[in-house]
Every structure is written in structure tokens, then in C-alpha cells.
């Protein structure tokens, strides 16, 4: 049983108590619920983390269909939450708050989890924390390891590809972002052109295992260019063209291997630049690097990033695989860290399809013209 929150008389919550939160995640194609306890001494315990995947529902279409996703979230959110509460062995009386993803993401899905979280908060008189999905990924490595702020983060998933200096909760500075597709999107689309099933990233990694990357030359976007932005659309187009010429299984595996190397190389080259800038800005202190998001599950990507981190004198951390891809434990932890700082949201908190972590950087350097497809933040 956790201790209840104490008010310190100034309206801010006493951070020296254990906090147990229910987290909810519905921003893409996973319906997830989790109970996380953040102890007063900063220790984190994931009491449960249930992820209901919609892969089977979207697979026939080769990608996530927003309307199908939203309906599937409606159908499963309550059952998944019941499972998460039961697996954690807690009741609603044991909770200190509810954290729900409020964006960015597919807005129909975000609305489902956020409305469900609001209902629980209202019914049980609990504080609501509206969590930015990207902040969830940013804290995800802290679910399993003691990684103090600040750190340099590469957030690399199906919807996002960003380098961020994470100073703390609510304090992220964006160093770079993709100017077109996210890396996971590139993995998925190239995998599709190779005839691999959705989701493409893991399938492409599997195929690449038996391939020789030297067989194909692919474009090296932004190589040597200033800044830490990413671009994957040229690679995607080139790989799709080459995929049409593939006739044997060996060629197919070789192309998959070449694509994986090209993506890993761009991610590590741009991260290397960000590390240099980050180290300079911090006078060589706090050299910690974290990679998070679905693409962090890729072995070749991890290996390339580990290499640059070692060369630059940075520590390297990545969340366990279960916390790389979308999950609600990271949302519950981001919520607990916010609640410990007294940061809660009202019941009219909006669902936000776009919600950059570093609003100032996003406004100063909009990476997408309005209406263009691409990374959501
Ligand atoms: O973080 P995530 O679950 O969802 C988003 O917030 O986007 O990331 C999903 C993405 C997909 O594009 C998927 O193909 C990619 O992560 N992914 C991988 C691997 N596992 C997941 N990409 C490459 N190699 C993998 N092993
Ligand atoms: Zn995600």
C-alpha cells in the first residue's frame, strides 16, 4: 500500500512520498495500461505493463488505419486496464494519480485513452496527468536503470526521429529532427516494398541477418551537412526502386542488410554531431546518451550508436526491448515524475495530434510545411 500524497501547504505536492500511478497509452496501434510505483527515493517499480497489440487488425492494410485503431482502442481499453490493475495487485484506492497520453499521435486513439483516464480520475477523485507521448519515450530508460538528468536522447520510432537534450521533466531542448520521414517509417515502407509483413522494422532486421550489405550502394543523405537533422525519403525512394530489380532471396537479403546499415549509419553520424555539440555546451560533463523508441530495438542501430558513444566518452543506455516500443509504463512514470513536481492537468485537457516537446525549436524551425505528411512533431 502506498502512502497518500501530502499537501505541503503551498499547493505543491510533497515529492518525498511513494507515488503509484495508472498509465494509459493509445496514441497509435497499441492499447496499453500499466501500474508504476515511483518510490520516494527515486526507485521505480513497474507493477504491471499490459500491451494489447492491434497488429492483426492492421496487417491486411500494410500499415496503421486510424479509424480501425480508434475503434479497437474503444473495445479494449477497459479490459486492458482491468488486467493491468489485477496483475499489479492494486485497487483504485491504492492509486495516487492517473496518467494518460494526450498526444502527439492519431487523435481518435489519443481521445479514447485520455477520456478513459479522465473518467477514472473523476470517478476516483484522483489527479490527472496529461502526458506527452514523447516525454514517455524520454523517460522510458529510467524504468529499468538509474539514469540521472540531464542526458542526450535519440528518440527514434515509427512517428518520430529527434535528438533532444533532456534536462528534466518538461525541459527538453531539441537539437535535431527529421525533415521528412521518421526512421521507423523508413524501415516500415522499405520493408513493404521488399514484400515483408507489417510491422516492417523487425521483419527487415530478421531478413538482413543473412544478407551482405556491400551488394548495394544507397544514398547518404545530409552526410557532412551542418546540424543534427535527419532525412530518410531519398533512401526510401532509392530502396523501393532497387526492390523492383530484386529477383532472388539472396539479393533480397542483401538489400535489406544495405538498408539497415544505411539507416544505422545516418542515425549514428547525426548522433555523433549532437554528442559533440552537447559535450561542448556542458563543458564535458554529464556525458550520458540514451536511445529510445521502437527502432532502438534494432541490433545494428544499437551497435552503431554504442560505437559512437564509446568514442565520444558517453555512457550508453537503451530501455529493455519491452519499453522501447509503445507501452504505458513509460507514460505512468512520466506522469509520476510530473505529479512529484506538482504538475497535474485539468479534466478539460485536450487531445493533441501534434505536440512538440520543445515548442520553441519547433516554431523556429518547422520541419514540415502545414499539411505535409511526416513526423508528427
Ligand atoms: O515506438 P514505437 O512502438 O511506435 C511509435 O511511437 O512510432 O515504434 C514502432 C516503430 C515501427 O516503425 C517499427 O517498424 C520499428 O519501430 N521497429 C523496428 C524494430 N522493432 C520495431 N525497426 C527496426 N528494427 C527493429 N527490430
Ligand atoms: Zn512511440
Amino acid at each position: 500500500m502506498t502512502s497518500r500524497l501530502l499537501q505541503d501547504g503551498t499547493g505543491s505536492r510533497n515529492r518525498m512520498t511513494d507515488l503509484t500511478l495508472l498509465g494509459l497509452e493509445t496514441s497509435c496501434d497499441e492499447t496499453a495500461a500499466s501500474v508504476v510505483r515511483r518510490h520516494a527515493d527515486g526507485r521505480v517499480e513497474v507493477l504491471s505493463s499490459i500491451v494489447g497489440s492491434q497488429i492483426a487488425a492492421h496487417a491486411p492494410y500494410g500499415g496503421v488505419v486510424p479509424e480501425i485503431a480508434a475503434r479497437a482502442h474503444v473495445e479494449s481499453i477497459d479490459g486492458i486496464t482491468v488486467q493491468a490493475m489485477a496483475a499489479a495487485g492494486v485497487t483504485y484506492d491504492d492509486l495516487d494519480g492517473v496518467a494518460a497520453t494526450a498526444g502527439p499521435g492519431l487523435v481518435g486513439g489519443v481521445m479514447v485513452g485520455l477520456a478513459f483516464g479522465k473518467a477514472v480520475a473523476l470517478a476516483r477523485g484522483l489527479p490527472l496527468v496529461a502526458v506527452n507521448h514523447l516525454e514517455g519515450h524520454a523517460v522510458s530508460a529510467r524504468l529499468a536503470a538509474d539514469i540521472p538528468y540531464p542526458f542526450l536522447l535519440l528518440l527514434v520510432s515509427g512517428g518520430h526521429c529527434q535528438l533532444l537534450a533532456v534536462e528534466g521533466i518538461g525541459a527538453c531542448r531539441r537539437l535535431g529532427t527529421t525533415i521528412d520521414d521518421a526512421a521507423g517509417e523508413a524501415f516500415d515502407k522499405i520493408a513493404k516494398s521488399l514484400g515483408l509483413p507489417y510491422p516492417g522494422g523487425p521483419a527487415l532486421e530478421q531478413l538482413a541477418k543473412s544478407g551482405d550489405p556491400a551488394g548495394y550502394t544507397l544514398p547518404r543523405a545530409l552526410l557532412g551537412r551542418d546540424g543534427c537533422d535527419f532525412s530518410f525519403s531519398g533512401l526510401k525512394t532509392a530502396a523501393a526502386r532497387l526492390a523492383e530489380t530484386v529477383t532472388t532471396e539472396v539479393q533480397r537479403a542483401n538489400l535489406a542488410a544495405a538498408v539497415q546499415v544505411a539507416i544505422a549509419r545516418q542515425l549514428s553520424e547525426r548522433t555523433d554531431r549532437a554528442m559533440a555539440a552537447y559535450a561542448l555546451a556542458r563543458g564535458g560533463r554529464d556525458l550520458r546518451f540514451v536511445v529510445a523508441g521502437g527502432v532502438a530495438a534494432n541490433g545494428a542501430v544499437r551497435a552503431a550508436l554504442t560505437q559512437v558513444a564509446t568514442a565520444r566518452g558517453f555512457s550508453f543506455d537503451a530501455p529493455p526491448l519491452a519499453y522501447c516500443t509503445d507501452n504505458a509504463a513509460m507514460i505512468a512514470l512520466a506522469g509520476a515524475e510530473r505529479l512529484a513536481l506538482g504538475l497535474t492537468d485539468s479534466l478539460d485537457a485536450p487531445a493533441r495530434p501534434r505536440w512538440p516537446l520543445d515548442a520553441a525549436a519547433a516554431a523556429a524551425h518547422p520541419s514540415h510545411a502545414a499539411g505535409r505528411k511526416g513526423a508528427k512533431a
Side-chain angles (χ1 to χ4, degrees):
M1 173 76 83
T2 59
S3 45
R4 283 264 132 219
L5 279 173
L6 302 173
Q7 296 292 136
D8 66 5
T10 63
S12 70
R13 289 173 186 280
N14 185 334
R15 57 194 303 171
M16 301 312 287
T17 57
D18 294 355
L19 294 174
T20 305
L21 269 85
L22 169 66
L24 302 164
E25 160 58 38
T26 55
S27 68
C28 193
D29 60 343
E30 264 100 19
T31 314
S34 163
V35 180
V36 166
R37 182 165 296 158
R38 180 184 181 275
H39 292 270
D41 62 7
R43 243 175 346 110
V44 176
E45 245 185 299
V46 179
L47 302 183
S48 67
S49 179
I50 308 289
V51 180
S53 171
Q54 303 175 1
I55 285 178
H58 299 288
Y61 306 93
V64 178
V65 184
E67 178 63 20
I68 292 176
R71 283 169 190 264
H73 288 306
V74 172
E75 282 165 16
S76 58
I77 184 77
D78 51 352
I80 297 273
T81 304
V82 167
Q83 277 185 55
M85 295 291 287
V90 298
T91 70
Y92 285 99
D93 287 338
D94 299 320
L95 296 179
D96 297 295
V98 184
T101 298
L106 300 172
V107 77
V110 173
M111 284 168 67
V112 173
L114 184 58
F116 191 87
K118 286 176 179 176
V120 173
L122 183 64
R124 308 303 305 201
L126 293 167
L128 171 78
V129 189
V131 172
N132 184 313
H133 179 82
L134 306 179
E135 190 163 270
H137 278 300
V139 304
S140 61
R142 287 163 60 83
L143 284 165
D146 181 16
I147 301 162
Y149 297 118
F151 53 80
L152 176 67
L153 172 76
L154 172 64
L155 167 51
V156 64
S157 70
H160 312 283
C161 190
Q162 309 189 356
L163 280 155
L164 297 153
V166 183
E167 309 288 343
I169 276 290
C172 284
R173 207 161 34 83
R174 196 179 77 187
L175 304 178
T177 187
T178 180
I179 57 174
D180 40 57
D181 294 340
E185 206 173 350
F187 265 117
D188 291 340
K189 287 179 178 165
I190 295 170
K192 196 172 175 182
S193 61
L194 282 168
L196 293 167
Y198 164 83
L204 191 145
E205 180 173 22
Q206 194 54 36
L207 177 61
K209 284 200 170 108
S210 58
D212 173 7
Y216 290 96
T217 310
L218 290 163
R220 301 185 72 171
L222 303 178
L223 182 68
R225 198 90 64 85
D226 278 351
C228 307
D229 285 342
F230 301 88
S231 169
F232 293 101
S233 66
L235 171 68
K236 186 183 66 183
T237 309
R241 284 218 190 95
L242 287 169
E244 286 169 14
T245 68
V246 160
T247 51
T248 67
E249 266 313 289
V250 173
Q251 286 175 338
R252 208 159 149 261
N254 289 350
L255 182 54
V259 164
Q260 185 170 261
V261 165
I263 293 177
R265 191 166 50 200
Q266 188 182 148
L267 291 173
S268 57
E269 275 170 356
R270 307 311 281 176
T271 298
D272 186 51
R273 280 176 175 275
M275 282 177 173
Y278 176 96
L280 194 64
R282 306 208 68 88
R285 288 184 305 277
D286 304 321
L287 302 188
R288 286 180 285 272
F289 173 70
V290 173
V291 59
V295 178
N298 184 282
V301 168
R302 280 189 190 225
L305 293 169
T306 306
Q307 212 170 12
V308 293
T310 306
R312 289 267 177 204
F314 275 68
S315 62
F316 175 91
D317 273 289
L321 294 187
Y323 303 143
C324 280
T325 45
D326 286 350
N327 65 90
M330 67 185 193
I331 304 303
L333 179 57
E337 293 195 19
R338 286 194 157 258
L339 188 56
L341 296 171
L343 300 170
T344 60
D345 294 272
S346 60
L347 289 179
D348 60 2
R352 302 171 67 170
R354 285 172 189 263
W355 185 5
L357 265 186
D358 181 347
H365 305 286
S367 46
H368 304 279
R372 259 183 70 190
K373 274 190 75 187
K376 300 177 194 79

